[in-house]
DNA sequence: GACTGAACTATACC
DNA sequence: ACGGGTATAGTTCAGTC
């Protein structure tokens, strides 16, 4: 039978001792297809240099005889082949050792620790990754496939799987992209206790195309047509399964559902002694523990949107937290509905309606978020060639590694192994290496500024100087790239390595898709361009990351050192051309035009680019009307990573200031933001001084709302691990005392209130937002408002603190006499 | 008990 | 344990006089 096919979900099973992949996907007619296939299973045994032919034959003979009985499974080496390969760029002779079961490769590797063998590799990729590399059935690509229809009992592993048809794959051919609209179900639960399984599940909402439902066991007098009423929690769970089965989605999508919704459902199913048969084969969801819990459903791709958003978007997001409310507001322009949580026993009859709506709306938001983000997930999966389940959960480092592993073949490279825990801890104990250069600005307000920055700076540096594990040289060769670092000179071969070469390809693709996007925009191109950009920007972090297969601290250190040297040279060139550099951080340079025109500056940029080494490239970030740099709080030297720019388009770009820090109260942030904007617009401080005086007046008259004085600080670890009892720790303790469960990661909110005696410590005044109290005027003045604006006024020679203090003294004097 | 520097902590920039 | 280093700045804590 023939069909077209897009693979979505991968897992595997054993049949007669052999591994079979099972891929669930769709064809263009919307039928659900299951494909069963197998592939060569092998590991690589890399031979030591200069092992003689006869010796090799003997080793092969020995290996071919290996038979193992592991975990009750008979496994044996099927054959051994000798190949010419490369490993870390070096030519090697390697034995390809074929076996019957991927899970046994580790045991086989243990059996072949012969003297002639230098290293054993390629058995820790995971069967799915290995399969995709072998058979090139890449997730989310389209294929024409043909194969034999199989029934439930042909393979034990596919019994009773709910699909339209199941094929044993014979032939496949990649075809061009076709339209694919996945079937999605978004879900969300509400419970009586946030600890997994501790409380009852009150309701669950399901949202799909033209489908909105809330299932609950709560009986309300007034009935709502989107609410399905069941008798108890057990029935709720069963109805959820039934609806899911009927809707039969490709993706079940939640938000924080790996750690909450799905494990909760499982736990409550156990409590009710019910099987939660969500999988296409009727199986229950399975959880695996990495650093985070991960929930998998057979045949349906379970997606926790939070995890993807965190890795792919968070660095570009404005949201203060990654909570659904904030994220949905940013992406969709609409947040969650408001509902004040109470224990279900305390919810009044007329409040249930808004609870149902709240629950339903969460799923609506998740559904819409998924629609918006889907192109990005799809492109990530295609590009790194890993299934959506993995691509949507992996960190950027893992994504870089996947991309590398799936592109080793054209280099004949044998994959390097994952570091073991011993190696990891060794790497982790290595100190930091010297990183980027940050220019110390001279505080002041400047006019007519241009900003240049390097495109994919570190990625381009790695490519330009060929920096990687396989190109590293202990000693310099006559033709090598060398760089001085504080820890000594580092050298890299000029003979190109696979890592920089793959990275070069990534950067070129990024450029290509960015260009295509400019010419004819569409969401897929945008997603593709963005995915390559993220990969390019993560390659540097990858090589310095202790968990990486291709970790090399020297490569990371050299990348930073080369980039640092280059940007310093560029700054000199810019200043030599009679511009004046005012600031620079890592890969960007801000400088004064000094009377030159924008056109002259763009020509200068062109000239600069023609002189840069390798693929290094500068681009114009923008021209700015004004820019402000301030001093550090202590001393008179310029503060780094803190500035504000006013663009030609009137847009203000604020970096580092309290305005953009969530651990400052809204009043201080807003006041500073206003001051910055006024100062940039007007070029002087006069208006903003009046503005600040007015704010302070209001503060002293207690006219400021508590909402504007709330300080938010994240609890970064569990409460008992804190060595210092800081204000937010006190606030967190108070919350626990009042019965609000707090876990690490929680954003703690509090304000500083006046106390009866004069307090010695800030924390003595901590009160929760709903606690009664008078805000501490002095604290907010001295510790929030004034610090936020003080350094800005200093730039104009205005001593705002002095002005305010004078006033205070005057008032005191006056009050004494009155 | 006031003062001071170090330690701890959170958050931002690129 | 699930990219990296650089930087500012608040609050507490421990040691000093």
């Amino acid at each position: 039978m023939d069909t077209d096919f897009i693979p979505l979900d991968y897992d595997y099973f054993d049949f007669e001792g052999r591994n079979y992949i099972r891929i669930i996907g769709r064809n263009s007619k919307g039928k659900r297809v299951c494909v069963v296939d197998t592939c060569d299973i092998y590991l690589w045994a890399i031979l030591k240099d200069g092992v003689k032919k006869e010796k090799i034959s003997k080793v092969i003979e020995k290996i071919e005889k290996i038979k193992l009985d592991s975990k009750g499974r008979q496994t044996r080496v099927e054959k051994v082949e000798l190949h010419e390969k490369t490993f870390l760029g070096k030519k090697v002779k390697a034995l390809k050792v074929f076996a019957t079961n991927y899970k046994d490769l580790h045991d086989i590797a243990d059996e072949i620790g012969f003297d002639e063998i230098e290293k054993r590799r390629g058995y820790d990729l995971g069967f799915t990754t290995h399969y995709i590399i072998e058979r090139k059935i890449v997730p989310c690509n389209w294929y024409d496939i043909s194969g034999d229809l199989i029934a439930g009992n042909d393979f034990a592993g596919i019994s009773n799987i709910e699909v339209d048809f199941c094929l044993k794959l014979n032939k496949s051919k990649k075809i061009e992209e076709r339209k694919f609209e996945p079937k999605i179900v978004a879900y969300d639960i509400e419970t009586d206790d946030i600890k997994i399984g501790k409380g009852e599940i009150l309701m669950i909402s399901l949202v799909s195309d033209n489908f909105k439902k809330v299932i609950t066991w709560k009986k309300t007098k007034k009935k709502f047509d989107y609410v399905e009423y069941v008798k108890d929690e057990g029935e709720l769970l069963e109805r959820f399964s039934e609806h899911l089965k009927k809707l039969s989605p490709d993706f079940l999508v939640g938000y924080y559902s790996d750690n909450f919704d799905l494990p909760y459902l499982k736990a409550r199913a156990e409590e009710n002694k019910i099987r939660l048969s969500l999988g296409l084969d009727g199986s229950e969801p399975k959880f695996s523990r990495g650093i985070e819990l991960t929930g998998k459903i057979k045949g349906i791709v379970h997606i926790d949107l939070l995890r993807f958003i965190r890795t792919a978007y968070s660095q570009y997001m404005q949201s203060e937290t990654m909570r659904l409310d904030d994220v949905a507001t940013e992406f969709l322009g609409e947040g969650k509905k408001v509902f004040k949580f109470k224990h279900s026993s305390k919810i009044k009859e007329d409040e249930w309606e808004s609870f149902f709506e709240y629950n339903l709306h969460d799923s609506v938001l998740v559904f819409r978020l998924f629609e918006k983000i889907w192109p990005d997930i799809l492109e990530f999966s295609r590009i790194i060639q890993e299934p959506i389940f993995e691509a949507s959960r992996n960190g950027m480092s893992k994504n870089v590694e996947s991309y590398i592993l799936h592109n080793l073949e054209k280099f004949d490279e044998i994959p390097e192994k994952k570091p073991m825990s011993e190696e990891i801890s060794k790497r982790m104990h290595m100190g930091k290496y010297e990183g980027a250069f940050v220019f110390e600005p001279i505080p002041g307000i400047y006019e007519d500024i241009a900003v240049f920055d390097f495109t994919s700076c570190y990625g381009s540096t790695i490519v330009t100087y060929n920096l990687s594990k396989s190109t590293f040289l202990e000693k310099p060769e006559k033709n090598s790239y060398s760089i001085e670092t504080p820890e000594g000179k580092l050298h890299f071969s000029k003979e190109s390595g696979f890592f920089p070469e793959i990275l070069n390809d990534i950067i070129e693709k990024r450029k290509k898709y960015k260009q295509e996007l400019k010419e004819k925009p569409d969401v897929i191109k945008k997603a593709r361009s963005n995915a390559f950009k993220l990969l390019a920007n993560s390659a540097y972090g990858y090589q310095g990351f202790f968990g990486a297969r291709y970790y090399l601290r020297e490569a990371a250190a050299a990348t930073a050192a080369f980039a640092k040297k280059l940007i310093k040279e560029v700054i000199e060139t810019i200043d030599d051309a009679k511009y004046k550099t005012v600031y620079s951080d890592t890969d960007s340079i801000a400088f004064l035009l000094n009377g030159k025109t924008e056109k002259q500056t763009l020509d200068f940029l062109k000239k600069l680019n023609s002189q840069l080494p390798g693929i290094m490239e500068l681009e114009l970030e923008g021209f700015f009307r004004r820019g402000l740099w301030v001093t550090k709080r202590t001393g008179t030297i310029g503060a780094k990573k803190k500035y504000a720019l006013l663009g030609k388009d009137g847009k203000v770009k604020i970096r580092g200031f309290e305005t953009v820090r969530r651990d400052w109260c809204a009043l201080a942030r807003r006041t500073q933001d206003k001051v910055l904007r006024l100062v940039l617009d007007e070029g002087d401080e006069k208006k903003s001084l009046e503005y600040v005086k007015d704010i302070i007046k209001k503060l002293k008259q207690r006219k400021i709302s508590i909402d504007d004085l709330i300080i938010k600080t994240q609890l970064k670890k569990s409460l008992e691990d804190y060595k210092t009892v800081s204000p937010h720790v006190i606030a967190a303790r108070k919350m626990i005392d009042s019965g609000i469960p707090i876990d690490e990661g929680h954003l703690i909110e509090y304000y500083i209130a006046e106390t009866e005696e004069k307090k010695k410590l800030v924390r003595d005044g901590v009160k929760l937002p709903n606690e009664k109290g008078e805000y501490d005027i002095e604290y907010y003045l001295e510790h929030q408002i004034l610090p936020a604006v003080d350094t800005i006024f200093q730039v104009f020679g205005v001593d705002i603190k002095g002005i305010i203090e004078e006033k205070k003294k005057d008032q005191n004097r006056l009050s004494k006499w009155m």
Side-chain angles (χ1 to χ4, degrees):
Chain A
M1 150 148 214
D2 299 339
T3 183
D4 58 357
F5 177 63
I6 180 171
L8 302 173
D9 184 57
Y10 291 65
D11 72 353
Y12 57 93
F13 61 90
D14 284 4
F15 180 66
E16 292 174 349
R18 204 172 173 79
N19 302 120
Y20 289 87
I21 198 89
R22 174 175 54 193
I23 313 171
I24 309 288
R26 297 262 178 193
N27 68 12
S28 53
K29 293 195 179 90
K31 296 286 181 202
R32 179 147 12 208
V33 184
C34 167
V35 169
V36 172
D37 191 18
T38 187
C39 67
D40 284 340
I41 291 158
Y42 58 86
L43 63 83
W44 291 103
I46 301 167
L47 291 159
K48 282 185 183 155
D49 265 352
V51 178
K52 297 253 164 52
K53 256 191 183 168
E54 309 81 67
K55 268 275 174 80
I56 294 175
S57 302
K58 274 190 185 160
V59 172
I60 290 176
E61 264 176 48
K62 272 200 277 183
I63 295 176
E64 280 179 330
K65 281 190 192 126
I66 292 175
K67 275 187 187 143
L68 285 175
D69 192 343
S70 70
K71 295 148 209 140
R73 197 169 44 230
Q74 300 288 327
T75 191
R76 61 182 181 84
V77 171
E78 291 188 311
K79 60 175 173 177
V80 179
E81 294 172 356
L82 179 62
H83 287 256
E84 302 279 338
K85 297 284 286 182
T86 65
F87 181 65
L88 296 176
K90 278 180 205 67
K91 284 193 172 167
V92 291
K93 282 187 167 55
L95 302 177
K96 195 174 184 178
V97 181
F98 293 81
T100 42
N101 198 301
Y102 198 84
K103 289 191 284 271
D104 297 327
L105 289 179
H106 204 283
D107 292 332
I108 290 172
D110 287 343
E111 292 285 315
I112 55 177
F114 306 126
D115 284 346
E116 295 83 358
I117 288 165
E118 170 92 31
K119 278 166 177 150
R120 292 145 286 173
R121 291 292 185 272
Y123 55 92
D124 64 351
L125 303 174
F127 181 67
T128 301
T129 300
H130 175 84
Y131 170 82
I132 294 168
I133 293 170
E134 279 299 292
R135 298 281 287 165
K136 309 272 179 293
I137 306 289
V138 179
C140 305
N141 282 270
W142 279 94
Y143 296 89
D144 271 336
I145 59 169
S146 64
D148 306 322
L149 277 172
I150 43 179
N153 48 6
D154 291 355
F155 288 90
I158 56 154
S159 54
N160 302 321
I161 194 145
E162 290 258 344
V163 291
D164 292 304
F165 52 90
C166 202
L167 289 179
K168 170 82 175 66
L169 187 66
N170 289 332
K171 264 200 238 157
S172 66
K173 190 172 154 259
K174 193 166 182 258
I175 54 174
E176 63 186 71
E177 207 173 302
R178 290 189 179 173
K179 201 169 175 180
F180 170 59
E181 277 170 5
K183 185 107 199 257
I184 312 149
V185 171
Y187 76 119
D188 182 57
I189 64 170
E190 305 300 336
T191 68
D192 253 342
D193 194 314
I194 64 156
K195 285 212 187 70
I196 304 297
K198 270 249 176 168
E200 255 186 296
I201 296 176
L202 307 172
M203 62 187 87
I204 181 161
S205 59
L206 289 161
V207 168
S208 189
D209 264 326
N210 301 313
F211 184 93
K212 286 182 182 177
K213 191 160 291 289
V214 171
I215 311 168
T216 184
W217 48 261
K218 174 68 195 179
K219 282 146 197 82
T220 50
K221 281 191 199 102
K222 204 176 153 196
K223 304 287 176 201
F224 307 95
D225 50 4
Y226 64 90
V227 181
E228 183 177 327
Y229 299 89
V230 293
K231 78 168 191 293
D232 54 20
E233 191 186 32
E235 201 180 313
L236 182 150
L237 294 166
E238 274 165 352
R239 285 301 290 156
F240 171 63
S241 294
E242 284 162 21
H243 276 300
L244 200 61
K245 200 167 190 177
K246 213 165 157 197
L247 291 164
S248 188
D250 298 299
F251 305 126
L252 178 66
V253 191
Y255 198 88
Y256 197 53
S257 51
D258 267 347
N259 289 279
F260 188 71
D261 303 66
L262 200 57
Y264 218 114
L265 284 164
K266 178 98 183 278
R268 294 310 295 178
E270 274 167 26
E271 181 79 23
N272 283 281
K273 301 195 169 57
I274 288 172
R275 260 183 70 84
L276 193 68
S277 317
L278 303 184
L280 288 188
D281 59 351
S283 64
E284 299 196 282
K286 284 210 170 63
F287 296 90
S288 61
R289 262 213 182 277
I291 186 167
E292 262 185 300
L293 207 57
T294 297
K296 201 169 173 124
I297 301 168
K298 276 210 163 92
I300 296 173
V301 185
H302 177 234
I303 294 176
D304 181 348
L305 272 189
L306 168 64
R307 295 187 64 167
F308 184 73
I309 290 174
R310 203 196 280 145
T311 51
Y313 298 93
S314 65
Q315 64 176 129
Y316 305 107
M317 285 171 59
Q318 306 298 312
S319 302
E320 270 172 30
T321 72
M322 293 301 282
R323 289 191 293 236
L324 179 60
D325 191 32
D326 282 356
V327 172
T329 303
E330 182 165 352
F331 278 86
L332 307 171
E334 185 187 357
K336 283 162 74 108
K337 294 212 170 174
V338 181
F339 182 77
K340 204 155 181 298
F341 276 94
K342 291 176 211 175
H343 192 273
S344 60
S345 57
K346 289 186 180 147
I347 300 173
K348 295 191 193 91
E349 175 70 23
D350 60 339
E351 290 171 333
W352 281 93
E353 179 178 5
S354 59
F355 202 8
F356 295 148
E357 279 174 6
Y358 170 92
N359 177 230
L360 185 67
H361 191 63
D362 271 10
S363 285
V364 171
L365 291 178
V366 171
F367 187 85
R368 288 176 55 204
L369 263 182
F370 180 84
E371 285 184 314
K372 182 134 194 175
I373 285 167
W374 164 241
D376 293 284
I377 298 178
L378 176 69
E379 284 308 308
F380 252 101
S381 173
R382 284 174 174 164
I383 290 165
I384 68 162
Q385 300 185 41
E386 287 287 323
I388 295 165
F389 185 84
E390 281 74 21
S392 67
R393 285 176 175 76
N394 291 343
M396 276 317 295
S397 195
K398 196 80 203 297
N399 286 335
V400 170
E401 188 156 282
S402 293
Y403 190 91
I404 299 290
L405 290 174
H406 285 282
N407 283 281
L408 285 179
E409 207 176 37
K410 43 187 164 295
F411 301 93
D412 269 328
E413 265 282 325
I414 293 172
E416 174 60 296
K417 69 165 188 288
K418 277 191 234 170
M420 300 280 119
S421 61
E422 197 186 336
E423 173 67 18
I424 287 178
S425 66
K426 202 172 94 191
R427 292 176 182 183
M428 285 175 74
H429 283 99
M430 297 275 244
K432 284 186 174 179
Y433 54 84
E434 190 179 89
F437 167 68
V438 188
F439 189 97
E440 188 191 303
I442 296 168
I445 185 153
Y446 301 95
E447 307 220 329
D448 292 324
I449 298 160
V451 177
F452 287 171
D453 57 22
F454 283 103
T455 36
S456 296
C457 180
Y458 282 157
S460 302
T461 306
I462 292 169
V463 173
T464 296
Y465 299 104
N466 206 27
L467 310 172
S468 72
K469 180 166 176 167
S470 78
T471 49
F472 179 63
L473 303 170
E474 291 290 347
K475 284 180 216 147
E477 287 173 3
K478 50 180 163 164
N479 220 359
S480 52
Y481 296 110
S482 298
I483 186 77
E484 198 73 63
T485 78
E487 297 167 49
K489 225 169 178 185
L490 298 171
H491 315 280
F492 294 83
S493 165
K494 282 193 176 173
E495 202 178 312
S496 96
F498 65 90
F499 190 99
E501 221 167 293
I502 292 171
L503 182 56
N504 188 34
D505 194 44
I506 290 173
I507 292 171
E508 271 176 13
K509 283 188 170 128
R510 149 76 174 160
K511 266 188 210 149
K512 180 173 156 237
Y513 293 121
K514 195 181 172 186
Q515 186 57 34
E516 281 180 19
L517 179 68
K518 224 167 119 187
E519 285 159 9
K520 206 171 160 236
D522 76 59
V523 285
I524 290 292
K525 272 181 222 151
K526 189 173 179 193
R528 198 166 287 172
S529 157
N530 193 50
F532 279 112
K533 176 187 173 179
L534 286 175
L535 284 176
N537 289 342
S538 307
Y540 158 72
Y542 173 79
Q543 293 200 102
F545 167 50
F546 54 76
R549 288 172 195 259
Y550 296 105
Y551 167 88
L552 187 75
R553 189 175 177 276
E554 289 85 347
T559 307
F562 270 116
K564 189 175 201 166
K565 186 164 171 251
L566 186 62
I567 201 161
K568 281 184 174 173
E569 285 166 8
V570 172
I571 288 171
E572 260 187 60
T573 314
I574 286 174
D575 289 344
D576 286 348
K578 301 281 182 278
Y579 291 97
K580 182 163 171 53
T581 299
V582 289
Y583 187 62
S584 165
D585 185 348
T586 312
D587 61 353
S588 72
I589 305 167
F591 56 92
L592 306 183
L593 292 189
N594 262 354
K596 282 193 249 318
T597 64
E598 290 182 5
K599 167 133 195 343
Q600 281 174 313
T601 309
L602 287 171
D603 288 342
F604 174 63
L605 173 63
K606 250 187 209 163
K607 197 179 142 217
L608 261 180
N609 268 327
S610 69
Q611 295 163 352
L612 291 174
I615 67 160
M616 300 306 294
E617 189 188 20
L618 280 165
E619 63 180 347
L620 177 77
E621 218 272 321
F623 290 112
F624 297 88
R625 289 220 301 268
R626 285 202 184 91
L628 177 82
W629 277 264
V630 298
T631 62
K632 291 208 267 187
R633 194 83 78 224
T634 49
T636 52
I637 64 167
K640 298 171 178 180
K641 301 191 185 285
K642 249 186 161 181
Y643 60 88
L645 291 168
L646 173 65
K648 289 269 159 184
D649 52 1
K651 272 194 191 159
V652 177
K653 185 173 166 177
I654 297 174
R655 293 290 121 98
F657 277 108
E658 283 73 10
T659 301
V660 299
R661 293 181 63 94
R662 70 169 180 198
D663 55 349
W664 283 69
C665 75
L667 182 71
R669 294 173 67 180
R670 223 179 319 117
T671 307
Q672 187 189 55
D673 185 66
K674 185 79 182 169
V675 167
L676 286 172
R677 281 167 199 276
L678 284 172
V679 153
L680 286 172
D681 268 334
E682 309 280 328
D684 65 52
E685 83 298 351
K686 291 182 184 65
K687 274 192 185 173
S688 47
L689 187 57
E690 292 315 307
Y691 180 80
V692 172
K693 280 183 181 167
D694 187 50
I695 293 286
I696 291 172
K697 200 169 131 196
K698 286 198 175 105
L699 181 76
K700 288 184 171 170
Q701 292 171 340
R702 297 202 176 279
K703 281 185 180 163
I704 305 290
S705 153
I706 283 289
D707 287 344
D708 287 334
L709 301 175
I710 300 294
I711 296 164
K712 301 174 188 176
T713 313
Q714 195 186 15
L715 205 63
K716 303 281 275 186
K717 47 192 174 190
S718 64
L719 218 39
E720 56 271 22
D721 290 342
Y722 279 90
K723 288 179 185 167
T724 32
V725 187
S726 46
H728 78 298
V729 171
I730 293 289
R733 284 183 188 168
K734 282 191 170 207
M735 288 172 86
I736 286 174
D737 289 346
S738 65
I740 307 163
I742 294 297
D743 43 354
E744 58 180 279
H746 204 106
L747 196 63
I748 308 291
E749 301 188 0
Y750 60 90
Y751 72 100
I752 304 301
E754 278 187 345
T755 48
E756 284 176 26
E757 307 114 63
K758 196 172 157 53
K759 53 178 164 271
K760 284 185 211 113
L761 296 172
V762 175
R763 68 172 177 221
D764 297 332
V766 167
K767 283 199 172 167
L768 298 181
N770 56 9
E771 255 186 289
K772 276 202 171 154
E774 297 281 2
Y775 63 74
D776 184 339
I777 294 169
E778 195 185 328
Y779 174 81
Y780 281 100
L781 187 61
E782 302 286 340
H783 292 254
Q784 294 276 331
I785 305 299
L786 289 180
V789 297
D790 183 35
T791 54
I792 301 169
F793 283 111
Q794 271 183 44
V795 166
F796 299 91
V798 174
D799 178 15
I800 181 95
K801 274 188 177 170
I803 292 171
I804 303 302
E805 297 293 318
E806 268 318 302
K807 252 189 173 173
K808 219 201 242 165
K809 270 188 225 154
D810 285 351
Q811 277 169 358
N812 285 344
R813 221 178 301 153
L814 274 174
S815 57
K816 262 183 202 166
W817 291 102
M818 279 169 82

